[in-house]
């Protein structure tokens, strides 16, 4: 804003809100005004919730999930099949797979992908932790669910190489046509993979 | 999420973030994860900023602006022409007009529009405050900058009626073609108004 029209505390709030993904400078102003109007129902509780999450959040030392307990809710869940580990790049992938609700397994969050260009090596990722978990024994299957990008696939190969020789089944997500997807809009690689992995009906 | 995958403090945070305009359930999760990753740069400062703004925010008793001081930054600004009052429905309109930077005047925030259907009468809005400000004297012009909606125009008429007889010039925003707007997409009312208010070149 050209001239100051409100107090510095509110301008500071708008500035910080604009850094939240999904909000820009304009929607940050709208968000701030909405909060001020819902002072008791939203603004106060949100301040406390962010503060509390900030104070309590930790990374699970076992799987890399974000939680407020260590081991995390997923690692502590006896109703999950803890002999199956789904390996993901990021916590957001863990949450996405959980929304799908297709598996009832444990997870391992790598925290990124190998990227020599950006200086990300194996030691920067939570790969050793995965190998240790498998080496400890009791793991039946490792499902590699990294993104289907070059970096993701490089990381997958690195992990597969380092799990070689261990008593564990290694699988990866199927490639194919997205449900609801139109063939005309899909790339050749996906179409070829979908043809190769065709299933009997 | 079907099953709990993270701590209750983080789920609570996501729930509250989803109530912020501009964020939905999905982007609230992304926002929460981003904050957690930027714990010290964003999450901590944001918790403090929301808390501080929550504790200090007040409505200016003179003009209805949102600020942390009363009278507000705008009312206290000696470099503004305090003899001109721009009347707006909401604080967001005040901010929008300030971004345009076209006037250097004072404001008056009504806090809504008259709406018999929704049970909003003159006493629910900050209209008496405006009439008192004008009655006090020293005001040259009242610029009515309410929305060009039926409720906005009803409110404008009510205000004009109650300022009648006072020594003050009353004006309203011009109707016309939005800058950058295409005639083909404009409604007939706007086009008629733009023709009637045509200006010499």
């Amino acid at each position: 804003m050209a001239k100051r029209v409100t107090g510095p505390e509110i301008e500071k709030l708008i500035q910080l809100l604009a850094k939240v993904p999904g909000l820009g400078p304009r929607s940050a102003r709208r968000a701030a005004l909405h909060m001020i109007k819902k002072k008791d129902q939203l603004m106060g509780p949100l301040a406390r919730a962010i503060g509390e999450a900030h104070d309590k959040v930790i990374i699970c030392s076992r799987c890399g999930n974000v939680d407020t307990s260590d081991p995390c809710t997923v690692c502590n869940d006896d109703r999950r099949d803890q002999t199956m580990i789904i390996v993901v790049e990021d916590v957001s992938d863990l949450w996405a797979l959980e929304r799908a609700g297709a598996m009832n397994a444990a997870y391992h969050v790598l925290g990124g992908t190998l990227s020599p260009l950006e200086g990300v090596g194996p030691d920067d990722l939570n790969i050793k932790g995965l190998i240790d978990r498998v080496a400890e024994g009791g793991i039946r299957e490792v499902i590699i669910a990294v993104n289907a990008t070059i970096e993701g696939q490089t990381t997958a190969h690195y992990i597969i190489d380092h799990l070689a020789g261990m008593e564990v089944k290694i699988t990866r997500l199927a490639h194919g046509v997205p449900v609801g997807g139109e063939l005309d809009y899909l790339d050749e690689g996906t179409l070829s993979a979908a043809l190769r992995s065709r299933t009997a009906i």
Side-chain angles (χ1 to χ4, degrees), chain A:
Chain A
M1 247 168 276
K3 281 167 295 185
R4 289 231 347 243
V5 292
T6 191
E9 294 86 354
I10 296 168
E11 297 214 342
K12 174 93 186 160
L13 170 63
I14 294 170
Q15 256 176 39
L16 285 167
L17 281 174
K19 293 185 184 169
V20 173
L23 297 178
R26 201 168 201 129
S27 42
R29 278 191 295 266
R30 211 172 58 226
L33 273 182
H34 182 82
M35 281 185 200
I36 289 168
K37 281 178 193 164
K38 304 256 175 194
K39 202 163 163 269
D40 296 328
Q41 305 100 300
L42 180 58
M43 199 177 194
L46 186 59
R48 283 190 295 277
I50 299 179
E52 201 168 355
H54 174 267
D55 294 343
K56 292 194 180 168
V57 71
I58 37 174
I59 306 299
C60 175
S61 58
R62 187 167 168 77
C63 78
N65 187 16
V66 151
D67 207 319
T68 46
S69 62
D70 184 16
C72 72
T73 309
V74 173
C75 286
N76 267 336
D77 189 346
D78 293 338
R79 290 160 305 172
R80 285 175 189 270
D81 183 349
Q82 298 281 350
T83 69
M84 295 181 78
I85 298 178
I86 305 178
V87 179
V88 292
E89 290 179 19
D90 196 275
V91 176
S92 56
D93 301 325
L94 186 166
W95 291 4
L97 287 166
E98 279 298 303
R99 281 199 299 282
M103 293 286 282
N104 195 27
Y107 283 90
H108 195 86
V109 181
L110 297 172
T113 45
L114 294 175
S115 174
L117 281 177
E118 292 177 28
V120 182
D123 295 339
D124 301 311
L125 302 178
N126 188 14
I127 293 180
K128 192 177 172 299
L130 174 65
I131 294 163
D132 289 349
R133 281 175 79 178
V134 177
E136 269 176 30
I139 306 295
R140 270 191 306 135
E141 182 172 349
V142 170
I143 304 171
I144 299 187
V146 294
N147 289 332
T149 56
I150 294 184
E151 292 82 9
Q153 296 312 305
T154 309
T155 312
H157 281 299
Y158 182 91
I159 292 170
I160 293 164
D161 284 352
H162 283 74
L163 291 178
M166 293 190 184
E167 279 264 339
V168 68
K169 185 174 165 190
I170 306 175
T171 55
R172 65 160 176 75
L173 292 187
H175 287 306
V177 180
V179 176
E182 296 186 38
L183 298 195
D184 197 17
Y185 290 95
L186 282 175
D187 62 294
E188 291 79 7
T190 303
L191 284 174
S192 305
L195 274 173
R196 279 196 306 274
S197 310
R198 64 193 178 280
T199 53
I201 41 176

